[in-house]
Amino acid sequence: MPSKKKPSFLLYVNDNVLVDELSDEDAGKLFKAVFAFADHGEDRSEELDPLPRMVYKRMTRYIAENTLAYYEKCEKIRQMAMEREQRRRESL
């Protein structure tokens, strides 16, 4: 992964039906684990009880997919900028 970290991640409103089934304590542990995953790639799923672990795995799958798409888009934009700069230099 590039050295510059992605500054955000997405959560989906549809997951609220799952989070609503958790106790406040489990929801807090879930979100701390989700932030650890999104920020450091740290997997804390084993620290969670079964239901919050299921929600965690769903959320982190989306986060991983969206992060990959973000970096792919960044790379595509970088490549287009390099090609544009190359064409500009060639036209001088």
Side-chain angles (χ1 to χ4, degrees):
M1 238 183 231
S3 60
K4 187 173 182 179
K5 291 194 323 185
K6 185 176 182 247
S8 62
F9 63 92
L10 294 172
L11 292 176
Y12 293 95
V13 174
N14 290 344
D15 287 338
N16 72 334
V17 296
L18 300 172
V19 175
D20 284 346
E21 295 298 316
L22 303 176
S23 68
D24 290 347
E25 181 180 351
D26 280 343
K29 289 177 183 178
L30 168 67
F31 280 97
K32 285 184 176 186
V34 167
F35 273 96
F37 177 82
D39 194 28
H40 310 295
E42 188 177 326
D43 182 357
R44 293 188 183 173
S45 61
E46 294 304 316
E47 299 173 14
L48 301 171
D49 289 336
L51 183 56
R53 185 179 309 132
M54 179 190 71
V55 179
Y56 171 88
K57 289 184 180 279
R58 177 184 170 111
M59 288 179 163
T60 56
R61 187 182 83 224
Y62 292 141
I63 291 168
E65 290 170 356
N66 289 331
T67 300
L68 179 60
Y70 169 82
Y71 285 121
E72 287 174 348
K73 183 176 181 178
C74 288
E75 179 60 23
K76 183 177 179 181
I77 291 169
R78 188 183 73 75
Q79 288 292 331
M80 290 181 347
M82 288 175 51
E83 290 169 6
R84 189 171 47 247
E85 178 62 18
Q86 181 66 31
R87 286 192 304 271
R88 186 191 69 79
R89 286 181 183 182
E90 290 172 355
S91 68
L92 294 180

